Amino acid sequence: MSVGGSVGGNALMDTVVIESLEPLIAALQSAGYAVVGPTVKDAAVRMAEISSVEDLPAGVGDVQRPGNYRLAERGDEMLFDFAASPDSAKRFTQPPRQRLFRMRGQTIEEVREKAPRVALLGVRACDLAAIAVQDRVFLGRHPDPTYRRRREALFLIAVNCAVPGGTCFCVSMGTGPKATTGFDLALTELASPHRFTVESGSERGAQIVAAIPHRPADQGDLTAAEEVSRIAATRMGRHVDTEGIQQWLPAAHDSPRWTDVASRCLSCTNCTMVCPTCFCSTVEDITDLTGEVTERSERWDSCFSLDFTELSGQPPVRSSALARYRQWLTHKFATWYDQFGTSGCVGCGRCITWCPTGIDVTEELSAIRDGTGETSCIR
Amino acid sequence: MGTRESGSRPRMAVWKFASCDGCQLTLLDCEDELLSLAAEVEIAYFLEASSAVGPGPYDLSLVEGSITTPEDAERIRHVRRVSKRLVTIGACATAGGIQALRDFADVKEFASVVYARPEYIATLDKSTPISANVPVDFELRGCPIDKRQLLEVITAFLACRRPVVPSHSVCVECKLRGNICVLVAHGTPCLGPVTQAGCGALCPAFNRGCYGCFGPADTTNSRALNTKLRVLGMSDPELVRVYRTFNATEEQFMRASEEDQGPEEDRA
């Protein structure tokens, strides 16, 4: 999928080194982008508009466990040594609410929702993979022009993940930790001295780099950057055995594990809301008091809400938490392949961290696989 | 609901039973929309706003408060008779309100402690929601109700359509609004996962846990939530207290507050 002039993994120019992010942020702002990056708010790393390097979370790390997220102060100079933020790029590619059209009497008025020029700084490899998944959904067989405009207005600056979290498993899903495609720029943060290697992945990325102070990367820089990703890959908090998952997961329809997980599932929708690939939405029609103006809008919805499978005059199709959880997990890890040609999971671990009761998809998958006899045991 | 034929507006009435008036005030709080609302409906009976009383019948009655006295049990039947459509507004009218805490105790004992002459008090043993007394066309949740939802319900009845009042959890609203999850990130006890949306996730937006003002969501698993709340340090008596507030007698919250909980069934 080529959006916004991305050219995939081939660097358009050799890797360079920048000493500070300040000129990069300024160049992006001059190019008309609102720069959105990690900030600390409400005791979490949140993606928000930044004006300078000062806004970035220097020395802040995080500890992520099932159902638990805490910041940890390290006190060093590193700006990106934390795992997935609760905010993925989804908030920018598919906003939580958007108006679709308005009717005044019998006349339809198109509502052209804004596609703000946003430079997302600090995107991870798993998030890039998630955007690629969303591209297949929204730009595939039935292209969504509004999604396309937003997507093209998005400038993606990956920062390679150095400190994966306790709930991360991008290595299992083949999506990280090193960003290889789908970015405009990919940075690796290095210490002593503090600097970044920069790789361009698009024409517009290369243009931004050309406009800021940089020097060619030497062998020491390149080796150090490779080490960051190599070590990160060994620090995955979680693991999933995906071999044969398209077969054994749907086949486990009657696994007793579904009852077990349903007893812990709140049906609160948090997993789907934080998931960077969950794209389900609903439409809501409202009228004004006079009845003259009608508006249709779209908002995030979830397969965990009861309304989601409501049919006219019928009870919901998936009325039990068991049925809803089974549908979600099976779709995400198995039947997504049938629909879109890839897994729906990118291994970011958000659904594990942000599940209030700490349901761990990797643990559930492992238990389900074992319960269906599809173990790795050779006897 | 009548259409505005021959220039006449549908007539609306607002009634009060056992309540604090907060939900009626929400209607008066619709400052920017009040004039346009008055242009579309004739507010014929609303003692909180005006002592001028227009005669019934009414096209739409908004009912605040629960039924706690024999007189009110009779009066709500009158309200139903003179109303084409009856919508309850708020936790009292919809679930019995905070005053339904009497349901868990002996109301005569309360009266003997509170009043110098308890024999003057004629009150029912239980505080019941309107729907336990007369048929109700729509129940709007909240303590108090949300202004946007109130306008949406009135607008929907004017347009003869279903109100857009989702019954999913507060968690959805937190995520739409961009709130951090206070349960996960701060370890703050929160009833959001079992509470119906509608407030706009107001408390979590200010780093407070949800108090459950809007009552149970359409599908709840309070047993699983309670396990988490216990991990966060809540004792069993504290768990009982968090569920026994404004919607204490709602079935799911009642079960959630009871010590010896059986496995919870989903609504089918």
Side-chain angles (χ1 to χ4, degrees), chain A residues 42 46 67 70 91 265 287 321, chain B residues 161 175 178 184 186 228 266:
Chain A
D42 297 330
R46 305 300 307 268
R70 292 292 183 276
R91 202 165 279 281
C265 176
T287 47
Chain B
R161 64 172 171 85
K175 294 298 187 280
V184 170
H186 305 163
K228 173 76 175 190
D266 271 308

Side-chain angles (χ1 to χ4, degrees), chain A residues 26 29-30 33 72 99 118 145 149 153 163 235 269 278 285 300 345:
Chain A
Q29 287 165 338
S30 304
Y33 289 102
R99 287 179 303 173
V118 170
R149 286 194 299 117
V163 188
R235 290 184 176 171
T269 78
C278 273
D285 292 342
W300 288 356
C345 176

Side-chain angles (χ1 to χ4, degrees), chain A residues 42-44 46 67-70 86 91 96-97 262-270 273-274 284-290 299-300 306-307 310 319-321 324 353-354 356-357, chain B residues 4 33 36-37 40 151-152 154-155 158-159 161-162 164 166-169 171-172 175-181 183-187 193 207 218-219 221 224-225 228 266-268:
Chain A
D42 297 330
R46 305 300 307 268
N68 198 296
Y69 177 102
R70 292 292 183 276
R91 202 165 279 281
R97 290 180 195 277
S263 75
R264 287 171 280 131
C265 176
L266 296 165
S267 294
C268 65
T269 78
N270 276 340
M273 297 281 144
V274 295
E284 290 176 339
D285 292 342
I286 55 158
T287 47
D288 73 347
L289 274 167
T290 64
R299 71 156 168 83
W300 288 356
L306 210 51
D307 288 350
E310 187 196 58
S319 58
S320 69
R324 293 193 292 272
T353 300
W354 298 99
T357 64
Chain B
R4 277 148 281 168
E33 299 86 359
S36 14
L37 177 66
E40 298 302 320
L151 284 167
E152 164 59 15
I154 297 172
T155 307
L158 280 169
R161 64 172 171 85
R162 187 167 141 175
V164 180
S167 54
H168 54 227
S169 73
C171 298
V172 177
K175 294 298 187 280
L176 295 175
R177 187 170 175 158
N179 290 345
I180 195 71
C181 177
L183 251 179
V184 170
H186 305 163
N207 288 327
D218 54 12
T219 172
N221 184 351
L225 181 64
K228 173 76 175 190
D266 271 308
R267 196 189 82 182

Side-chain angles (χ1 to χ4, degrees), chain A residues 18-30:
Chain A
I18 59 174
E19 309 291 340
S20 162
L21 291 180
E22 212 65 86
L24 174 63
I25 293 170
L28 288 163
Q29 287 165 338
S30 304

Side-chain angles (χ1 to χ4, degrees), chain B residues 177 179 182 199-211 213:
Chain B
R177 187 170 175 158
N179 290 345
V182 298
C199 59
L202 189 57
C203 290
F206 293 92
N207 288 327
R208 303 289 297 266
C210 167
Y211 289 88
C213 306

